[in-house]
């Protein structure tokens, strides 16, 4: 990640912070800075106290002197025009956007209170009697300003774990040989020295023989324990080398680095608008029109049946109590918290809208290699069919597989100490293998399923022995002739069995899909307790099977390879293994950074909890209005004498906002709870 890209990430993070601060106050493009709001709040509070001292509250006035009504007018006007500016700006934006909502309601309330207070002051100067609303007006503006600042700070806290990503990358790197260079001067394949207790400057692989090397990757993967690294192991820019110096080769920089991708994914996830947010917008719109109609109706009715003063008080109370500020925060605060917690648990959410239906998941379809198994194949056996034939089976296969990222291909290449052959015109055969030319002869590396589909005879005894051991077999052929094959062994991931068992506890049926042969697949599912599986599949087969299960219920799919991409895109919730191909990762809704299948359990639980929080917040933000608006309109006043003045309305509205914020920040998850 060069300096320009670091600066770009820092700019992006600043923008995210900027949006976090202002989105809830940004209506139609008019924004307010939290620093300015804090200043307005301080000035308004400073003026509010002397105003309260000379105002009549429940018939009691602390200080009374000639001309006090003029002082109230001056102080109240300053608070109104200075402290109320953010709301006027927001209301203007809503009108321009033709979407009246929260700011219009607030503005309507304080404008009505101000105008009536000016009128009441004039009546008093004329020798009459009238009750002004200076007390209610000042406290309302102060409470609203304070509430907005509290909410923006809550949004900040929700995103704190991500805003410092750019600072993890050091400004310089040590090239092998002792020269220090700027990160902007690094190139892929550069050899670097990473010293003890230094941040790793770029993504790469360990190339030095260093025993007991451990790296702290907690800010990237969420894993608090040090991660041991061996030669050939992957290290990520921004992680911390804890104990020993080592050499590494740079494999990716800039936008291709994991750290940069995390920032991009988080920003993308936070910008997406979900069904819950759309619902919140609709409810806010309904609430505005309800408050407007009820407020005007109550004003007209009470003007006719009571006094203008009481009618105005009820109308203002309706407008204030219906302010949908809490409703506007109901979903975004939970989303910010969801993104934060997910990232800490090694879950990068690329499409959070897919998580809203996680409670409907009935089937968990998953790939085998790299998902349930560690994908670290080793060549266990090399068999040459014709003992007299002058051909090195492993050399030819390795030449063809060189350049492939598939775990089987990498294992075949790694099994050859000195690759002496070179393949030409190499092409991938989707779901089957590869083909190309070696020393002028055309060869193919294919699966057992390919042999059966094309009726190519094979020595079943030798092959079945390998299958019985749960090994994967790849064949070298040319012109329908089998020259030989290799048997490769793979191991189950440590948490695979736990993962399958936990899925069953949640009434989610696990199903394995693999391109491997049926015998090997059967052995794997038996060890894991999976009852349904499909083997010898091609990419289009996996997508087709996903569609079949979708007819019976919602499906999540977990995979890591290019051949998994169609299934990932087709499923209701696509989950990519972090160590998989970029194609799979870009297709998925969620990426498992640690490549542990059991992290899906954390995803399911976090998603369910966040969905509950969203629903709770929607009720906290709007549901109380079902009772509060009628009470504020004075429906119970004739029979019970119950009414709500503007101050009480402001307090109730602010309480709902604080409740929503606290409820959202209460979203928590610890992996230990699942394991």
């Amino acid at each position: 990640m060069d300096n320009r890209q670091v600066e770009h990430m820092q700019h992006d993070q600043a923008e995210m912070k900027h949006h976090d601060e202002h989105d809830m106050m940004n209506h139609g493009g008019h924004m307010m800075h939290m620093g300015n709001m804090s200043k307005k709040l301080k000035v308004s509070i400073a003026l509010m106290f002397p105003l309260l001292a000379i105002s009549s509250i429940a018939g009691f006035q602390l200080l009374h002197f000639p001309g006090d009504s003029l002082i109230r007018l001056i102080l109240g006007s300053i608070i109104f025009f200075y402290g109320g500016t953010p709301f006027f700006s927001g209301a203007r934006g809503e009108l321009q956007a033709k979407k009246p909502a929260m700011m219009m309601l607030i503005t309507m309330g304080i404008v009505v209170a101000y105008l009536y207070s000016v009128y009441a002051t004039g009546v008093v100067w004329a020798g009459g009697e009238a009750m002004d609303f200076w007390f209610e007006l000042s406290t309302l503006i102060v409470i609203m300003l304070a509430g907005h600042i509290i909410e923006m700070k809550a949004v900040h806290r929700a995103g704190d774990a991500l805003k410092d990503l750019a600072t993890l990358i050091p400004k310089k790197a040590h090239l092998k040989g002792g020269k220090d260079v700027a990160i902007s001067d690094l190139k892929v394949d550069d050899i670097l020295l990473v010293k003890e207790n230094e941040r790793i400057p770029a993504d790469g692989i360990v190339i030095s023989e260093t025993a007991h090397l451990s790296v702290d990757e907690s800010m990237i993967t969420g894993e608090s324990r040090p991660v041991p690294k061996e030669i050939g192991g992957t290290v990520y820019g921004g992680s911390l080398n804890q104990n020993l110096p080592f050499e590494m080769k740079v494999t990716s920089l800039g936008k291709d680095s994991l750290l940069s991708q995390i920032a991009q994914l988080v920003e993308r996830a936070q910008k997406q608008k979900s069904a819950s947010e759309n619902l919140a917008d609709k409810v806010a719109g309904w609430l505005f029109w309800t408050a407007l109609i009820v407020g005007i109706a109550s004003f007209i009715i009470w003007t006719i049946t009571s006094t203008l003063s009481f009618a105005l008080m009820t109308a203002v109370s309706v407008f204030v109590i219906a302010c949908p500020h809490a409703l506007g925060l109901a979903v975004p605060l939970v989303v910010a918290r969801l993104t934060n917690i997910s990232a800490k648990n090694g879950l990068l959410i690329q499409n959070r809208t897919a998580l809203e239906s996680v409670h409907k998941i009935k089937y968990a379809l998953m790939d085998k290699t790299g998902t349930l198994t560690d994908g670290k194949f080793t060549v266990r056996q090399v068999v040459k069919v014709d003992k007299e034939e002058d051909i090195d089976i492993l050399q030819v296969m390795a030449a063809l597989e060189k350049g492939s990222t598939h775990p089987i291909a990498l294992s075949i290449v790694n099994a050859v100490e000195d690759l002496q052959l070179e393949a030409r015109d190499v092409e991938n055969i989707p779901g089957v293998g590869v083909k190309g030319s070696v020393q002028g002869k055309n060869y193919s590396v294919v699966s057992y399923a390919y042999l059966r589909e094309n009726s190519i005879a094979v020595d079943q005894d030798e092959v079945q022995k390998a299958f019985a051991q749960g090994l994967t077999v790849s064949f070298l052929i040319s012109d329908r002739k089998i020259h030989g094959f290799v048997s490769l062994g793979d191991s189950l991931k440590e948490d695979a069995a736990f993962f399958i068992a936990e899925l069953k506890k949640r009434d989610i049926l696990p199903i394995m899909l693999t391109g491997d042969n049926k015998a090997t697949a059967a052995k794997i599912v038996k060890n894991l307790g999976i009852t349904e599986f499909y083997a010898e599949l091609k990419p289009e087969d996996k997508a087709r099977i996903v569609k079949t299960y979708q007819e019976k219920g919602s499906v999540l799919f977990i995979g890591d390879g290019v051949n998994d991409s169609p299934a990932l895109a087709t499923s209701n919730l696509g989950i990519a293994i972090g160590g998989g191909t970029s194609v799979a990762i870009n297709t998925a809704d969620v990426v498992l950074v640690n490549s542990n299948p059991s992290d899906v359990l954390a995803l399911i639980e976090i998603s369910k909890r966040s969905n509950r929080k969203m629903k709770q917040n929607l009720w906290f933000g709007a549901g109380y209005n079902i009772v509060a608006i009628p009470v504020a309109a004075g429906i119970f006043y004739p029979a019970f004498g119950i009414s709500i003045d503007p101050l009480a309305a402001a307090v109730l509205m602010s309480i709902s906002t604080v409740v929503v914020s606290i409820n959202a920040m209460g979203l928590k998850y610890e992996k230990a709870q699942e394991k």
Side-chain angles (χ1 to χ4, degrees):
M1 185 179 299
D2 59 36
N3 287 337
R4 293 183 301 276
Q5 286 152 335
V6 169
E7 290 172 1
H8 178 69
M9 183 189 289
Q10 290 172 334
H11 173 74
D12 287 345
Q13 292 292 336
E15 284 296 311
M16 289 168 63
K17 178 180 178 182
H18 182 70
H19 287 300
D20 281 347
E21 290 179 353
H22 308 305
D23 275 351
M24 296 312 142
M25 294 288 289
N26 180 9
H27 296 263
H30 294 266
M31 294 193 202
M32 287 146 276
H33 189 275
M34 190 167 71
N36 292 337
M37 287 191 64
S38 296
K39 183 178 178 180
K40 291 180 183 298
L41 175 62
K42 291 176 183 177
V43 172
S44 297
I45 290 175
L47 297 177
M48 179 185 69
F49 284 110
L51 179 59
L52 297 184
I54 60 175
S55 295
S56 176
I57 305 173
F60 175 77
Q61 186 172 333
L62 182 63
L63 297 176
H64 184 71
F65 52 86
D68 57 2
S69 61
L70 175 62
I71 301 300
R72 288 197 297 271
L73 174 64
I74 294 173
L75 293 178
S77 295
I78 295 174
I79 294 174
F80 174 73
F81 287 108
Y82 181 71
T85 302
F87 311 114
F88 305 150
S89 177
R92 184 170 63 252
E94 288 181 352
L95 283 176
Q96 290 174 349
K98 297 181 180 179
K99 293 182 179 180
M102 172 181 62
M103 291 300 164
M104 279 296 298
L105 285 175
I106 297 174
T107 299
M108 199 178 304
I110 62 177
V111 166
V112 169
Y114 177 75
L115 292 178
Y116 181 77
S117 296
V118 172
Y119 161 76
T121 302
V123 171
V124 171
W125 289 352
E129 292 186 5
M131 182 183 70
D132 60 52
F133 282 167
W134 296 121
F135 165 65
E136 288 83 359
L137 173 67
S138 62
T139 52
L140 172 62
I141 290 175
V142 166
I143 289 174
M144 291 302 302
L145 286 173
H148 279 53
I149 292 172
I150 290 172
E151 291 148 10
M152 284 188 275
K153 287 183 177 180
V155 174
H156 289 173
R157 289 194 295 271
D160 277 348
L162 299 170
K163 70 181 181 181
D164 294 328
L165 283 176
T167 64
L168 294 177
I169 298 294
K171 295 183 178 180
K172 291 189 176 182
H174 312 300
L175 286 178
K176 184 179 180 181
K179 182 181 178 181
D180 287 358
V181 297
I183 298 299
S184 58
D185 295 330
L186 285 180
K187 298 182 293 295
V188 173
D189 293 333
D190 277 348
I191 305 300
L192 307 180
L193 171 66
V194 183
K195 298 179 181 179
E196 181 181 357
N197 294 321
E198 282 188 343
R199 293 273 176 192
I200 296 171
D203 292 2
I205 57 173
V206 178
I207 60 172
S208 57
E209 290 282 3
T210 304
H212 310 301
L213 172 65
S214 62
V215 175
D216 178 3
E217 298 179 346
S218 57
M219 265 305 289
I220 297 175
T221 65
E223 178 58 62
S224 59
R225 293 172 296 180
V227 181
K229 298 291 181 180
E230 300 176 352
I231 186 169
T234 302
V235 290
Y236 303 112
S239 53
L240 179 67
N241 173 22
Q242 287 198 320
N243 56 349
L244 298 170
F246 69 92
E247 291 182 359
M248 62 170 284
K249 181 170 75 171
V250 177
T251 58
S252 60
L253 292 164
K255 65 180 182 180
D256 296 323
S257 69
L258 178 64
L259 197 62
S260 180
Q261 290 174 5
I262 289 174
Q264 293 170 23
L265 295 179
V266 168
E267 185 177 9
R268 190 190 314 167
Q270 290 182 335
K271 286 182 178 179
Q272 289 172 341
K273 197 147 194 171
S274 68
S276 295
E277 285 173 294
N278 290 329
L279 177 60
D281 290 341
K282 290 181 180 179
V283 173
W286 297 335
L287 186 58
F288 167 77
W289 291 113
T290 299
L292 184 63
I293 293 170
V294 173
I296 293 175
S298 66
F299 176 77
I300 294 173
I301 293 171
W302 287 115
T303 299
I304 297 172
T305 61
S306 183
T307 64
L308 177 63
S309 175
F310 186 77
L312 192 57
M313 184 188 74
T314 59
V316 171
S317 296
V318 169
F319 295 142
V320 170
I321 209 165
C323 288
H325 201 197
L327 183 62
L329 286 170
V331 175
L333 279 180
V334 177
V335 168
R337 187 68 176 162
L338 165 67
T339 306
N340 181 6
I341 294 175
S342 298
K344 285 185 175 181
N345 284 278
L347 302 165
L348 300 185
I349 299 173
Q350 303 189 106
N351 177 18
R352 59 182 174 81
T353 59
L355 300 181
E356 293 190 6
S357 60
V358 72
H359 62 285
K360 299 179 182 178
I361 297 295
K362 296 296 182 184
Y363 303 99
L365 279 59
M366 61 203 77
D367 179 43
K368 175 180 74 71
T369 305
T371 301
L372 294 174
T373 65
D374 57 23
K376 297 177 181 178
F377 287 87
T378 56
V379 175
R380 307 282 181 86
Q381 183 184 29
V382 180
V383 177
K384 184 192 293 185
V385 174
D386 186 350
K387 308 297 183 183
E388 304 299 324
E389 185 180 14
D390 183 19
I391 181 174
D392 188 325
I393 301 296
L394 200 55
Q395 280 277 347
V396 175
M397 295 180 75
L400 291 167
E401 296 282 19
K402 185 180 180 182
S404 173
T405 58
H406 193 280
I408 292 178
L410 293 173
S411 301
I412 292 175
V413 174
N414 292 335
V416 178
E417 294 183 3
D418 183 18
L419 182 56
Q420 301 173 351
L421 301 179
E422 183 177 351
R424 298 181 182 278
D425 303 322
V426 177
E427 294 181 25
N428 181 56
I429 309 175
V432 175
V434 295
K435 63 180 179 179
S437 174
V438 179
Q439 294 182 324
K441 187 173 183 178
N442 293 326
Y443 293 95
S444 298
V445 178
V446 300
S447 63
Y448 179 65
Y450 180 86
L451 299 184
R452 292 197 314 171
E453 290 173 5
N454 292 273
S455 302
I456 300 175
V458 62
D459 186 340
Q460 291 292 335
D461 290 339
E462 287 288 343
V463 174
Q464 292 303 325
K465 287 180 183 178
F467 290 165
Q469 299 174 53
L471 302 179
T472 298
V473 181
S474 289
F475 298 85
L476 178 66
I477 68 171
S478 66
D479 298 327
R480 297 181 58 84
K481 176 184 177 181
I482 299 177
H483 297 280
F485 62 85
V486 296
S487 302
L488 304 100
D490 192 9
S491 300
L492 290 173
K493 289 186 175 180
E494 291 183 1
D495 61 342
F498 168 81
F499 169 56
I500 298 301
E502 290 297 313
L503 284 178
K504 291 180 177 180
K505 288 182 182 179
R506 290 165 172 76
D507 294 324
I508 298 175
L509 181 65
I511 301 147
M512 190 181 79
L513 311 183
T514 179
D516 211 341
N517 64 83
K518 290 183 179 179
T520 299
K523 189 172 182 64
I524 294 293
V525 298
K526 182 179 180 181
N527 291 336
L528 291 175
I530 296 176
T531 56
E532 293 187 27
F533 73 95
Y534 298 82
E536 301 177 3
L537 302 175
K538 294 180 180 180
E540 58 269 25
D541 295 329
K542 292 184 178 181
R544 174 180 52 78
I545 293 171
V546 167
K547 290 181 180 178
T548 300
Y549 277 93
Q550 282 178 322
E551 294 176 359
K552 299 183 286 185
S554 292
V555 173
L556 71 80
F557 182 85
I558 315 167
D560 69 330
V562 174
N563 63 332
D564 295 322
S565 298
L568 286 166
T570 303
S571 62
N572 300 92
L573 177 59
I575 303 172
I577 297 296
T581 64
S582 59
V583 176
I585 290 173
N586 291 334
T587 306
D589 299 310
V590 180
V591 179
L592 307 182
V593 175
N594 298 324
S595 300
N596 298 327
S598 61
D599 285 348
V600 173
L601 304 174
L603 174 67
I604 293 172
E605 185 59 31
I606 293 171
S607 299
K608 286 183 177 179
R609 294 184 186 187
S610 66
N611 288 339
R612 283 198 299 268
K613 289 290 184 182
M614 288 180 190
K615 291 177 182 177
Q616 290 169 0
N617 275 0
L618 286 174
W619 273 107
F620 290 147
Y624 82 103
N625 285 286
I626 296 173
V627 174
I629 287 180
V631 174
I635 192 173
F636 296 123
Y637 185 75
F640 305 103
I642 298 175
S643 64
I644 298 178
D645 64 23
L647 174 60
V651 171
L652 286 174
M653 185 277 303
S654 296
I655 288 175
S656 71
T657 301
V658 173
V659 169
V660 164
S661 301
I662 293 174
N663 190 53
M665 297 308 295
L667 177 62
K668 296 179 180 179
Y669 178 79
E670 297 293 339
K671 285 185 180 180
Q673 294 176 353
E674 289 298 313
K675 294 186 181 180

